[in-house]
Amino acid sequence: MMKKVFTLLCAAAISVSGMAQQSPKKLTTEDYEQAAKFLGFNTYSLVDKANVSPNWLDNGSFWYEISVDGERQYVLVDPKKKSKETSTSLEELLGEKPEGGQRRSWTEVASPDGSKTVYIKDWNLWMRDNETGEETQLTKDGEKNYGYATDNAGWKHSDKPIVLWSPDSKKIATFKQDQRHVSDMYLVETKVGEPKLQEWKYPIPQDSAIIKIERVIIDTEDNEITKLNIPADARRGTLCDDIACDGTFGDNEWGPDSETLAFASVSRDHKKVTLRVANAETGEVRDIFTEETETQFESGQGSINWHYLPESDEIIWYSERDDWGHLYLYDLESGKLKNQITKGDFVVTSLTKVDEDKKMLYFYAQGKEDGRDPYFRHFYSIKFNGRGLKLLTPENGMHSVSPSPDNKYFVDNYSQPDVPNVAVLRDIKGRKIMDLEKADISHLEAIGWQAPKPIKVKSADKKWDLYGLMFTPTDLDESKKYPVVNYIYPGPQGGGVGGRYFSPSRSDHQALAELGFIVVVIDGSCNPGRSKSFHDACYGNMGDNTLEDQISGIKQLAEKYSYMDLDKVGIWGHSGGGFATADAMFSYPEFYKVGISESGNHDNRNYEDDWGERYIGLIEETENGKTNYELQANQYNAANLQGDLLIAHGNLDDNVPPYNSYLVIDALIKANKDFDLIIFPNARHGYGMDSYYMTRRRWDYFVENLMGAEHPKNFKIEMPRRR
């Protein structure tokens, strides 16, 4: 009997011991504090001499500011003498107090000579004489939703006038925007008492009429308006999903004599672009040429790359007609092609300088240098006739240049995601004049920081090489298994990695990895910066979301890195990444177990027309009676959810309205699916002051549901106080 009791007691002890071994791992406040050390507000200040941003002076020298051990230093460089002088006082360094420049309201635009400023009031354009303060009403027939120079519609909320001043500061190219017949958007501000309604025009793909612009030229000297002699144009641009991609009236360029204006007219679906030239006095318009594409036309990456050269009767044009983004030279008079300027299996991203006298172009390009990450950007020069292509920044990495006003020199900053920045001074032929600074990350490394690991995998169809970054815990134990978090931004206007420059923090990727995850970011096919066929791989189907590329890439990485646990894979993303995350959870539930979908545009019928129509095309009915947009919407697949899904949205999101998430929420409820939800009252697209709360909740969600561990309660991410 005693033997039997002893046996039972031993069995009970073993059972208790087994239960103890299976109890969930507990992450502590200290673990979260360790993770927070790697957030940007803690890491950026730990990099000394991070970057050189030159301020060029009239005498050809320049100065810049750097930080060393938390102290500001100012450096004066004389390119001719190849000399550097450093001081803690900028005034002492320059021998005089530097001019601060006149600050103006962000809702005003000054003329090139600074004598005049224009602004919008009551849907009309007004001008102020900056010397006398006298105000003049330039237009008088503007009315609500049919006003001048406005970009206040869709995802843009701005009262800044969209204008282009002529070089002589006498004329303005702008437009009268007709948005009366498009859909309205409504958001409600939460407050005590009666809620406050926000209402504005927000065009969507279902609208039969889109926003149109009636192009005009305003003579500010005579206060006369000349309407261009063409029908109203679609409110479309060649670079992005807005008429003012960089905040100015892009796709317009004055002749140097201020007598003619070149501009590009773009069709609603972005498939047809016509280059035109207008007479500023008469309003007569002449079509130069038209380019059409089966998918969507774009004029570059980061900048509009066509250039008007009336003095030589030429046009520099940008096209992807040979599958790569290149520059072409056209005859302005005949509209005929003279020659292709750049060619080869690489992409010109940004034309930065045109030297008309020397017939030289200076531009950024990606993918030309063999054996390098094709997203690394280099700086080149070439002649108008396509000869003499020269690499001006030979070092491997992501380059950013700042040319001098006289085009004799440029400052070159270059780095890689895992290699800190180096800044040098070069002459315009690319010869290095002198070293400037090399970033010092010793303070960063002192906290245990480590660089992300660059990765390369094959696309799901084995056609493309894909590139990305992987983040691991600083105390990585390769004998263990770690859950994997896939951060995703599927584009198609830009991927999840972002610029390939050095950065001490990229989102909260390293911070999340520090909690015990492997964080993987892969730029899948359908993203820009490569060939057109790469970018167009999922044209018409944004619901592709690069997910098969992501899954294939993670599996390839797991074959190489045995510490990746593919039984525990999560995914998160914001905006387009929120759309992709929900899609991943609904379409690939056997792979993705946990997802966090933030501010997703889950149904592009609920998002501004210009976005979807650029990358999907116009809305149309398919053979099964559903529209092409409906087939890509997330709510119709919500019943497939198997894992844990957290949805987050700001209820005042004026970019991606919260109704996108509400559609998915409603479908999940009707499918009787469990899910989690965070609504940020009165928050816009990026959550503002609530963003760090979202970051902490994201950590909690992956720790609890993907890692299966306990997290500290109510941990607060706090930014350090500035001195």
Coordinates of all heavy atoms in Angstrom, one line a residue, residues 493-566:
Q493 N 3.1 51.9 -55.1 CA 3.9 53.1 -55.3 C 5.2 53.1 -54.4 O 6.0 54.0 -54.5 CB 3.1 54.3 -55.0 CG 3.2 54.9 -53.6 CD 2.6 54.0 -52.6 OE1 1.8 53.1 -52.9 NE2 2.9 54.3 -51.3
G494 N 5.4 52.1 -53.6 CA 6.6 52.0 -52.8 C 6.5 50.8 -51.9 O 5.4 50.5 -51.4
G495 N 7.7 50.1 -51.6 CA 7.6 48.9 -50.8 C 7.8 49.1 -49.3 O 7.8 50.3 -48.8
G496 N 8.0 48.0 -48.6 CA 8.1 48.1 -47.1 C 9.4 48.5 -46.6 O 9.5 49.0 -45.5
V497 N 10.5 48.2 -47.4 CA 11.8 48.6 -46.9 C 12.1 50.1 -46.9 O 12.6 50.6 -45.9 CB 12.9 47.9 -47.8 CG1 14.3 48.4 -47.4 CG2 12.8 46.4 -47.7
G498 N 11.6 50.8 -47.9 CA 11.8 52.2 -48.0 C 13.2 52.4 -48.6 O 13.8 51.6 -49.2
G499 N 13.8 53.6 -48.3 CA 15.1 54.0 -48.9 C 16.2 53.0 -48.4 O 16.1 52.6 -47.2
R500 N 17.1 52.7 -49.2 CA 18.2 51.8 -48.9 C 19.3 52.5 -48.2 O 20.5 52.1 -48.2 CB 18.7 51.1 -50.1 CG 18.1 49.7 -50.3 CD 16.6 49.6 -50.4 NE 16.2 48.2 -50.6 CZ 14.9 47.9 -50.9 NH1 14.0 48.9 -51.0 NH2 14.6 46.7 -51.2
Y501 N 19.1 53.6 -47.5 CA 20.1 54.3 -46.8 C 20.2 53.8 -45.4 O 19.4 53.0 -44.9 CB 19.8 55.8 -46.7 CG 18.3 56.1 -46.3 CD1 17.9 56.0 -45.0 CD2 17.4 56.4 -47.3 CE1 16.6 56.2 -44.6 CE2 16.0 56.6 -46.9 CZ 15.7 56.5 -45.5 OH 14.4 56.7 -45.2
F502 N 21.3 54.2 -44.7 CA 21.5 53.8 -43.3 C 20.5 54.5 -42.4 O 20.2 55.7 -42.6 CB 22.9 54.1 -42.8 CG 23.1 53.7 -41.4 CD1 23.5 52.5 -41.0 CD2 23.0 54.7 -40.4 CE1 23.7 52.1 -39.7 CE2 23.2 54.4 -39.1 CZ 23.6 53.1 -38.7
S503 N 19.9 53.8 -41.5 CA 19.0 54.4 -40.5 C 19.1 53.6 -39.2 O 19.1 52.4 -39.2 CB 17.6 54.3 -41.0 OG 16.7 54.8 -40.0
P504 N 19.3 54.3 -38.1 CA 19.4 53.6 -36.8 C 18.1 52.9 -36.4 O 18.1 52.0 -35.5 CB 19.8 54.7 -35.8 CG 19.3 56.0 -36.5 CD 19.4 55.8 -37.9
S505 N 17.0 53.3 -37.0 CA 15.7 52.7 -36.7 C 14.8 52.7 -37.9 O 14.8 53.7 -38.6 CB 15.0 53.4 -35.5 OG 15.6 53.2 -34.3
R506 N 14.2 51.6 -38.2 CA 13.2 51.5 -39.2 C 11.9 51.1 -38.6 O 11.8 49.9 -38.2 CB 13.6 50.6 -40.4 CG 14.8 51.1 -41.2 CD 15.3 50.1 -42.2 NE 16.4 50.6 -43.0 CZ 16.3 51.2 -44.1 NH1 15.1 51.4 -44.7 NH2 17.4 51.7 -44.8
S507 N 10.9 52.0 -38.5 CA 9.7 51.7 -37.7 C 10.1 51.1 -36.4 O 11.0 51.6 -35.7 CB 8.8 50.8 -38.6 OG 7.6 50.6 -37.9
D508 N 9.4 50.1 -35.9 CA 9.7 49.5 -34.7 C 10.3 48.1 -34.9 O 10.1 47.2 -34.0 CB 8.5 49.5 -33.7 CG 7.4 48.6 -34.2 OD1 7.3 48.4 -35.4 OD2 6.7 48.0 -33.4
H509 N 10.8 47.8 -36.1 CA 11.2 46.5 -36.4 C 12.2 45.9 -35.5 O 12.1 44.7 -35.0 CB 11.8 46.4 -37.9 CG 10.8 46.9 -38.9 ND1 9.4 46.8 -38.8 CD2 11.0 47.6 -40.1 CE1 8.8 47.3 -39.8 NE2 9.8 47.8 -40.6
Q510 N 13.3 46.6 -35.2 CA 14.3 46.1 -34.3 C 13.8 46.0 -32.8 O 14.1 45.0 -32.1 CB 15.6 46.9 -34.3 CG 16.7 46.3 -33.4 CD 17.1 44.9 -33.8 OE1 17.3 44.7 -35.0 NE2 17.2 44.0 -32.9
A511 N 12.9 46.9 -32.5 CA 12.3 46.9 -31.1 C 11.5 45.6 -31.0 O 11.5 44.9 -30.0 CB 11.5 48.1 -30.9
L512 N 10.7 45.3 -32.0 CA 9.8 44.1 -31.9 C 10.7 42.8 -31.9 O 10.4 41.9 -31.2 CB 8.9 44.1 -33.1 CG 7.9 42.9 -33.2 CD1 7.0 42.9 -32.0 CD2 7.0 43.1 -34.5
A513 N 11.8 42.9 -32.8 CA 12.7 41.7 -32.8 C 13.3 41.5 -31.4 O 13.5 40.3 -31.0 CB 13.8 41.9 -33.8
E514 N 13.6 42.6 -30.7 CA 14.2 42.4 -29.4 C 13.3 41.7 -28.4 O 13.8 41.1 -27.4 CB 14.5 43.8 -28.9 CG 15.6 43.9 -27.8 CD 17.0 43.5 -28.3 OE1 17.1 43.3 -29.5 OE2 17.8 43.3 -27.4
L515 N 12.0 41.7 -28.6 CA 11.1 40.9 -27.7 C 11.1 39.4 -28.0 O 10.5 38.7 -27.2 CB 9.7 41.5 -27.9 CG 9.5 42.9 -27.5 CD1 8.1 43.4 -27.8 CD2 9.8 43.1 -26.0
G516 N 11.8 39.0 -29.0 CA 12.0 37.6 -29.3 C 11.3 37.2 -30.6 O 10.8 36.0 -30.7
F517 N 11.4 38.0 -31.6 CA 10.8 37.7 -32.9 C 11.9 37.9 -34.0 O 12.8 38.6 -33.9 CB 9.6 38.6 -33.3 CG 8.5 38.5 -32.3 CD1 8.4 39.4 -31.2 CD2 7.5 37.6 -32.5 CE1 7.3 39.3 -30.3 CE2 6.4 37.5 -31.6 CZ 6.3 38.3 -30.6
I518 N 11.6 37.2 -35.1 CA 12.4 37.5 -36.4 C 11.5 38.4 -37.3 O 10.4 37.9 -37.6 CB 12.8 36.2 -37.1 CG1 13.5 35.3 -36.2 CG2 13.6 36.6 -38.3 CD1 14.8 35.8 -35.6
V519 N 11.9 39.6 -37.6 CA 11.0 40.5 -38.4 C 11.6 40.5 -39.8 O 12.8 40.8 -40.0 CB 11.0 41.9 -37.8 CG1 10.2 42.8 -38.6 CG2 10.5 41.8 -36.4
V520 N 10.7 40.2 -40.8 CA 11.1 40.1 -42.2 C 10.4 41.1 -43.0 O 9.2 41.2 -42.9 CB 10.8 38.7 -42.7 CG1 11.2 38.6 -44.2 CG2 11.6 37.6 -41.9
V521 N 11.1 41.9 -43.8 CA 10.5 42.9 -44.7 C 11.0 42.6 -46.1 O 12.3 42.6 -46.4 CB 10.9 44.3 -44.3 CG1 10.1 45.3 -45.2 CG2 10.7 44.6 -42.8
I522 N 10.1 42.3 -47.0 CA 10.5 41.9 -48.4 C 9.8 42.8 -49.4 O 8.5 42.9 -49.3 CB 10.2 40.5 -48.7 CG1 11.0 39.5 -47.8 CG2 10.5 40.1 -50.2 CD1 10.6 38.0 -48.0
D523 N 10.5 43.5 -50.3 CA 9.8 44.2 -51.4 C 9.5 43.2 -52.5 O 10.4 42.8 -53.3 CB 10.7 45.3 -51.9 CG 10.7 46.5 -51.0 OD1 9.8 46.6 -50.1 OD2 11.6 47.4 -51.1
G524 N 8.2 42.9 -52.6 CA 7.8 41.9 -53.6 C 7.7 42.6 -55.0 O 7.8 43.8 -55.1
S525 N 7.4 41.7 -56.0 CA 7.1 42.3 -57.3 C 5.9 43.1 -57.2 O 5.1 43.0 -56.3 CB 7.0 41.1 -58.3 OG 5.9 40.2 -57.9
C526 N 5.7 44.0 -58.2 CA 4.6 45.0 -58.3 C 5.0 46.3 -57.6 O 4.2 47.2 -57.6 CB 3.3 44.5 -57.6 SG 2.7 42.9 -58.2
N527 N 6.3 46.4 -57.2 CA 6.7 47.6 -56.6 C 7.6 48.4 -57.6 O 8.2 47.8 -58.5 CB 7.5 47.4 -55.3 CG 6.6 47.3 -54.1 OD1 5.9 48.3 -53.8 ND2 6.5 46.1 -53.5
P528 N 7.7 49.7 -57.5 CA 8.5 50.5 -58.4 C 10.0 50.4 -58.2 O 10.5 49.8 -57.2 CB 8.0 51.9 -58.2 CG 7.6 51.9 -56.8 CD 7.1 50.5 -56.5
G529 N 10.8 51.1 -59.0 CA 12.2 51.2 -58.9 C 12.9 50.1 -59.6 O 14.2 50.0 -59.6
R530 N 12.2 49.2 -60.3 CA 12.8 48.2 -61.2 C 12.2 48.4 -62.6 O 11.9 49.5 -63.0 CB 12.4 46.8 -60.6 CG 12.8 46.6 -59.1 CD 14.2 46.2 -58.9 NE 14.5 44.8 -59.4 CZ 14.3 43.7 -58.7 NH1 13.8 43.8 -57.5 NH2 14.6 42.5 -59.2
S531 N 12.1 47.3 -63.3 CA 11.6 47.4 -64.7 C 10.1 47.6 -64.6 O 9.4 47.4 -63.6 CB 11.9 46.1 -65.4 OG 11.2 45.0 -64.8
K532 N 9.5 48.0 -65.8 CA 8.1 48.2 -65.8 C 7.3 46.9 -65.7 O 6.3 46.8 -65.0 CB 7.7 48.9 -67.1 CG 6.2 49.2 -67.2 CD 5.8 50.2 -68.3 CE 4.3 50.4 -68.4 NZ 3.8 51.0 -67.1
S533 N 7.9 45.8 -66.3 CA 7.2 44.5 -66.1 C 7.2 44.1 -64.7 O 6.3 43.4 -64.2 CB 7.9 43.5 -67.0 OG 9.3 43.4 -66.8
F534 N 8.2 44.4 -63.9 CA 8.3 44.1 -62.5 C 7.2 44.9 -61.8 O 6.4 44.3 -61.0 CB 9.7 44.4 -61.9 CG 9.8 44.1 -60.5 CD1 10.3 42.8 -60.1 CD2 9.5 45.0 -59.5 CE1 10.5 42.5 -58.8 CE2 9.7 44.7 -58.1 CZ 10.2 43.4 -57.8
H535 N 7.1 46.2 -62.1 CA 6.1 47.0 -61.4 C 4.7 46.6 -61.8 O 3.7 46.7 -61.0 CB 6.3 48.5 -61.8 CG 5.6 49.5 -61.0 ND1 5.5 50.8 -61.3 CD2 4.9 49.3 -59.9 CE1 4.8 51.4 -60.4 NE2 4.4 50.6 -59.5
D536 N 4.5 46.2 -63.1 CA 3.2 45.9 -63.6 C 2.8 44.4 -63.4 O 1.7 44.0 -63.9 CB 3.1 46.2 -65.1 CG 3.0 47.6 -65.4 OD1 2.7 48.4 -64.5 OD2 3.2 48.0 -66.6
A537 N 3.6 43.7 -62.6 CA 3.3 42.2 -62.4 C 1.9 42.0 -61.9 O 1.4 40.9 -62.2 CB 4.4 41.6 -61.5
C538 N 1.4 42.9 -61.1 CA 0.0 42.6 -60.6 C -0.9 43.8 -61.0 O -1.9 44.1 -60.3 CB 0.0 42.4 -59.1 SG 0.7 43.8 -58.1
Y539 N -0.6 44.5 -62.1 CA -1.5 45.6 -62.5 C -2.9 45.0 -62.8 O -3.1 43.9 -63.3 CB -1.0 46.2 -63.9 CG -2.0 47.2 -64.4 CD1 -1.9 48.5 -63.9 CD2 -2.9 46.9 -65.3 CE1 -2.8 49.5 -64.3 CE2 -3.8 47.8 -65.8 CZ -3.8 49.1 -65.3 OH -4.7 50.0 -65.7
G540 N -3.9 45.7 -62.3 CA -5.3 45.3 -62.4 C -5.7 44.5 -61.2 O -6.9 44.3 -61.1
N541 N -4.8 44.0 -60.4 CA -5.2 43.2 -59.3 C -4.3 43.6 -58.1 O -3.4 42.9 -57.7 CB -5.0 41.7 -59.6 CG -5.3 40.8 -58.4 OD1 -6.1 41.2 -57.5 ND2 -4.7 39.7 -58.3
M542 N -4.7 44.7 -57.4 CA -4.0 45.1 -56.2 C -4.2 44.1 -55.1 O -3.5 44.1 -54.1 CB -4.4 46.5 -55.8 CG -3.8 47.6 -56.7 SD -4.4 49.2 -56.3 CE -3.8 49.4 -54.6
G543 N -5.2 43.3 -55.2 CA -5.5 42.2 -54.2 C -4.4 41.2 -54.2 O -4.3 40.3 -53.3
D544 N -3.5 41.2 -55.1 CA -2.3 40.3 -55.1 C -1.5 40.6 -53.8 O -1.0 39.6 -53.2 CB -1.4 40.5 -56.4 CG -0.1 39.8 -56.3 OD1 0.8 40.2 -55.7 OD2 -0.1 38.7 -57.0
N545 N -1.3 41.9 -53.6 CA -0.6 42.3 -52.3 C 0.8 41.7 -52.1 O 1.3 41.7 -50.9 CB -1.5 42.0 -51.1 CG -2.6 43.1 -50.9 OD1 -2.3 44.2 -50.9 ND2 -3.8 42.6 -50.7
T546 N 1.4 41.1 -53.1 CA 2.7 40.5 -53.0 C 2.8 39.3 -52.0 O 3.9 38.9 -51.6 CB 3.9 41.5 -52.7 OG1 3.9 41.8 -51.3 CG2 3.7 42.8 -53.5
L547 N 1.6 38.8 -51.7 CA 1.6 37.8 -50.6 C 2.3 36.5 -50.9 O 2.9 35.9 -50.1 CB 0.1 37.6 -50.1 CG -0.5 38.8 -49.4 CD1 -2.0 38.5 -49.2 CD2 0.2 39.0 -48.1
E548 N 2.1 36.1 -52.2 CA 2.8 34.8 -52.5 C 4.3 35.0 -52.5 O 5.1 34.1 -52.2 CB 2.3 34.3 -53.9 CG 0.8 33.9 -53.9 CD 0.4 33.2 -55.1 OE1 1.2 33.1 -56.1 OE2 -0.8 32.8 -55.2
D549 N 4.7 36.2 -52.9 CA 6.2 36.5 -52.8 C 6.7 36.5 -51.4 O 7.7 36.0 -51.1 CB 6.5 37.9 -53.5 CG 6.4 37.9 -55.0 OD1 6.6 36.8 -55.6 OD2 6.3 39.0 -55.6
Q550 N 5.8 37.1 -50.5 CA 6.2 37.1 -49.1 C 6.3 35.7 -48.5 O 7.3 35.4 -47.8 CB 5.1 37.9 -48.3 CG 4.9 39.3 -48.8 CD 6.0 40.3 -48.6 OE1 6.8 40.2 -47.6 NE2 6.2 41.2 -49.5
I551 N 5.3 34.9 -48.8 CA 5.3 33.5 -48.2 C 6.5 32.7 -48.8 O 7.2 32.1 -48.0 CB 4.0 32.8 -48.5 CG1 2.8 33.6 -47.8 CG2 4.0 31.4 -48.2 CD1 1.5 33.1 -48.2
S552 N 6.7 32.8 -50.1 CA 7.8 32.1 -50.7 C 9.1 32.6 -50.2 O 10.0 31.8 -49.9 CB 7.8 32.3 -52.2 OG 8.9 31.7 -52.9
G553 N 9.3 33.9 -50.0 CA 10.5 34.4 -49.5 C 10.8 34.0 -48.1 O 12.0 33.6 -47.7
I554 N 9.8 34.0 -47.2 CA 10.0 33.6 -45.8 C 10.4 32.1 -45.7 O 11.2 31.7 -45.0 CB 8.7 33.9 -45.0 CG1 8.6 35.4 -44.8 CG2 8.8 33.2 -43.6 CD1 7.2 35.8 -44.2
K555 N 9.8 31.3 -46.6 CA 10.1 29.9 -46.6 C 11.6 29.7 -47.1 O 12.3 28.8 -46.5 CB 9.1 29.1 -47.5 CG 7.7 29.0 -46.9 CD 6.8 28.2 -47.9 CE 5.4 28.0 -47.3 NZ 4.5 27.3 -48.2
Q556 N 12.0 30.4 -48.0 CA 13.4 30.3 -48.5 C 14.4 30.7 -47.4 O 15.4 30.1 -47.2 CB 13.6 31.2 -49.7 CG 12.9 30.8 -51.0 CD 13.0 31.8 -52.1 OE1 14.0 32.2 -52.5 NE2 11.8 32.2 -52.6
L557 N 14.0 31.8 -46.6 CA 14.8 32.2 -45.5 C 14.9 31.2 -44.4 O 16.0 31.0 -43.8 CB 14.3 33.6 -45.0 CG 14.5 34.8 -45.9 CD1 13.7 36.0 -45.3 CD2 15.9 35.1 -46.1
A558 N 13.8 30.5 -44.2 CA 13.8 29.5 -43.1 C 14.6 28.3 -43.5 O 15.2 27.6 -42.6 CB 12.3 29.0 -42.9
E559 N 14.8 28.0 -44.7 CA 15.7 27.0 -45.1 C 17.2 27.3 -44.8 O 18.0 26.4 -44.5 CB 15.6 26.7 -46.6 CG 14.3 26.1 -47.0 CD 14.1 25.9 -48.5 OE1 15.1 26.3 -49.3 OE2 13.1 25.4 -49.0
K560 N 17.5 28.6 -44.8 CA 18.8 29.1 -44.5 C 19.0 29.4 -43.0 O 20.1 29.2 -42.5 CB 19.1 30.4 -45.3 CG 20.5 30.9 -45.3 CD 20.7 32.1 -46.2 CE 22.1 32.7 -46.1 NZ 22.2 33.8 -47.0
Y561 N 18.0 29.9 -42.4 CA 18.1 30.2 -41.0 C 17.1 29.3 -40.2 O 15.9 29.6 -40.1 CB 17.7 31.7 -40.8 CG 18.6 32.6 -41.6 CD1 18.1 33.3 -42.7 CD2 20.0 32.8 -41.3 CE1 18.9 34.1 -43.5 CE2 20.8 33.7 -42.1 CZ 20.2 34.3 -43.2 OH 21.0 35.1 -43.9
S562 N 17.7 28.3 -39.6 CA 16.9 27.3 -38.9 C 16.1 27.8 -37.7 O 15.2 27.1 -37.2 CB 17.7 26.1 -38.5 OG 18.8 26.5 -37.6
Y563 N 16.5 29.0 -37.2 CA 15.9 29.5 -36.0 C 14.5 30.2 -36.3 O 13.8 30.6 -35.4 CB 16.8 30.5 -35.3 CG 17.4 31.6 -36.2 CD1 16.7 32.7 -36.6 CD2 18.7 31.4 -36.6 CE1 17.3 33.6 -37.4 CE2 19.3 32.4 -37.4 CZ 18.6 33.5 -37.8 OH 19.2 34.5 -38.6
M564 N 14.1 30.2 -37.5 CA 12.8 30.8 -37.9 C 11.7 29.7 -37.7 O 11.8 28.6 -38.4 CB 12.8 31.3 -39.3 CG 13.8 32.5 -39.5 SD 13.9 33.0 -41.2 CE 12.2 33.7 -41.5
D565 N 10.7 30.0 -37.0 CA 9.6 29.0 -36.7 C 8.4 29.3 -37.6 O 7.7 30.2 -37.4 CB 9.2 29.1 -35.2 CG 8.2 28.1 -34.8 OD1 7.7 27.3 -35.7 OD2 7.9 28.0 -33.6
L566 N 8.3 28.5 -38.7 CA 7.2 28.7 -39.7 C 5.9 28.3 -39.2 O 4.9 28.4 -39.9 CB 7.6 28.1 -41.0 CG 8.8 28.7 -41.7 CD1 8.8 28.3 -43.2 CD2 8.8 30.2 -41.6

